[in-house]
C-alpha cells in the first residue's frame, strides 16, 4: 500500500509569493499532522487535523500560515507572503487515529525562499 | 506542557560498537514513547516504541528502556552497522494527548 505522499518535493520561491504544499495521507487515517523542520533542528509542530477539523492550530507561527483538509483525506498547507525564515522542510504525518499510535511521515517538501 | 531533552546531539561510533541515546521528559502523564529514525532526505520512520506499563522492549538489535520514576528513556542499538547512520528522534505523548513532543534529535554516525 502507498504511504504518505507530499508534493512538491522541492519548492523554490521568491520572498513575498504564496506557496501551497500538499499532503496525501494513508487511506483510512483520520489524524493528520504538519511539522516544520529547519536545518539540523527537531520537529516543530504546526497543526493537527482529526477528520476535516483542526482542533489544534497552536503551532502555526503566524497568520500567514493556514491549512485545510477536505474529505478527511488530502491536506494543503498554505504560506502567504513567504519570508526567508519560512525556508525549511515541511513534513506531513498521518496516523490511524489520535494519540498513542504510530505516525507515518511523508518524505517532506523542501521550501526555499529567496 | 511537556518538555523532552535528548542527548547526545551527535554520536560517532565504530561499526560493531553499541550506541545509546537518552531522553528525559517532564510530564509524568506521558505514557507513550516512540523512537523515529530519519535518513537523509526522507521523513522520520518509527523504529520502536514503548508504553509506560513496561520497562523494556527489544526488537533484534534495538531496544528501548523506560524509567518512569526518573522520567527518562533510552534507545540502545547493538552491533551497529553503517546503515544505522541517521538522525534519531525520541518523543513523548500523554495518555489523552494527540501531539507528541519530540526531542531535538541525535545524529548517529557509524564508521566502517
Amino acid at each position: 500500500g502507498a504511504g504518505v505522499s507530499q508534493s512538491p518535493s522541492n519548492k523554490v520561491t521568491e520572498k513575498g509569493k504564496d506557496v501551497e504544499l500538499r499532503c496525501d495521507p494513508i487511506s483510512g487515517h483520520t489524524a493528520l499532522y504538519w511539522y516544520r523542520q529547519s536545518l539540523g533542528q527537531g520537529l516543530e509542530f504546526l497543526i493537527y487535523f482529526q477528520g476535516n477539523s483542526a482542533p489544534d492550530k497552536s503551532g502555526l507561527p503566524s497568520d500567514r500560515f493556514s491549512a485545510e483538509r477536505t474529505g478527511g483525506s488530502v491536506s494543503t498547507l498554505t504560506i502567504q507572503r513567504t519570508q526567508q525564515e519560512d525556508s525549511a522542510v515541511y513534513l506531513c504525518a498521518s496516523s490511524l487515529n489520535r494519540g498513542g499510535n504510530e505516525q507515518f511521515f511523508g518524505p517532506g517538501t523542501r521550501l526555499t525562499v529567496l | 506542557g511537556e518538555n523532552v531533552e535528548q542527548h547526545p546531539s551527535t554520536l560517532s561510533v565504530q561499526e560493531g560498537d553499541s550506541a545509546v541515546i537518552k531522553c528525559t521528559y517532564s510530564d509524568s502523564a506521558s505514557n507513550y514513547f516512540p523512537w523515529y529514525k530519519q535518513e537523509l532526505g526522507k521523513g522520520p520512520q518509527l523504529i520502536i516504541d514503548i508504553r509506560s506499563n513496561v520497562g523494556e522492549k527489544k526488537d533484534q538489535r534495538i531496544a528501548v528502556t523506560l524509567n518512569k520514576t526518573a522520567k527518562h528513556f533510552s534507545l540502545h542499538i547493538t552491533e551497529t552497522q553503517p546503515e544505522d547512520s541517521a538522525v534519531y528522534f525520541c518523543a513523548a505523548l500523554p495518555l489523552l494527548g494527540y501531539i507528541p513532543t519530540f526531542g531535538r534529535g541525535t545524529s548517529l554516525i557509524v564508521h566502517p
Side-chain angles (χ1 to χ4, degrees):
Chain A
V4 178
S5 60
Q6 293 186 246
S7 61
S9 55
N10 280 284
K11 176 70 176 179
V12 180
T13 190
E14 293 180 347
K15 178 182 174 181
K17 301 285 189 181
D18 298 352
V19 295
E20 281 190 355
L21 312 180
R22 176 188 169 106
C23 172
D24 280 271
I26 293 173
S27 177
H29 281 194
T30 61
L32 186 147
Y33 304 77
W34 282 98
Y35 295 92
R36 180 168 68 176
Q37 187 174 34
S38 300
L39 188 63
Q41 299 299 308
L43 300 169
E44 176 188 4
F45 166 77
L46 297 179
I47 189 170
Y48 157 72
F49 285 92
Q50 182 62 37
N52 288 338
S53 63
D56 196 324
K57 306 179 182 179
S58 62
L60 295 177
S62 76
D63 59 8
R64 296 186 295 106
F65 288 72
S66 64
E68 64 176 14
R69 188 179 185 194
T70 56
S73 181
V74 172
S75 177
T76 302
L77 177 68
T78 301
I79 308 173
Q80 296 178 308
R81 306 181 302 281
T82 52
Q83 304 294 313
Q84 288 184 331
E85 59 263 28
D86 299 335
S87 296
V89 174
Y90 290 81
L91 291 163
C92 173
S94 71
S95 65
L96 189 58
N97 48 50
R98 77 165 208 179
N101 289 284
E102 176 180 0
Q103 289 192 348
F104 294 82
F105 283 83
T109 293
R110 180 173 296 278
L111 175 65
T112 303
V113 182
L114 301 177
Chain B
E2 174 68 278
N3 181 49
V4 176
E5 299 283 341
Q6 183 172 348
H7 298 282
S9 56
T10 305
L11 180 58
S12 183
V13 300
Q14 288 295 129
E15 182 177 1
D17 288 350
S18 294
V20 180
I21 303 170
K22 299 180 179 180
C23 289
T24 60
Y25 61 99
S26 60
D27 188 351
S28 57
S30 288
N31 76 330
Y32 175 63
F33 306 93
W35 284 90
Y36 289 85
K37 175 183 180 182
Q38 185 176 27
E39 297 177 337
L40 196 62
K42 298 183 179 180
Q45 181 178 13
L46 182 76
I47 55 171
I48 195 167
D49 57 10
I50 192 168
R51 297 185 188 273
S52 59
N53 58 342
V54 298
E56 183 176 5
K57 184 177 178 179
K58 290 183 179 179
D59 184 2
Q60 299 182 341
R61 294 187 298 108
I62 60 174
V64 56
T65 58
L66 171 65
N67 184 324
K68 287 178 58 181
T69 303
K71 295 207 279 282
H72 67 69
F73 56 111
S74 299
L75 177 70
H76 305 253
I77 306 175
T78 59
E79 301 172 21
T80 53
Q81 301 167 3
E83 52 265 38
D84 294 330
S85 297
V87 177
Y88 291 81
F89 292 96
C90 65
L93 186 68
L95 177 62
L96 298 179
Y98 45 81
I99 302 170
T101 301
F102 286 86
R104 294 177 65 85
T106 296
S107 177
L108 174 64
I109 303 167
V110 181
H111 299 280

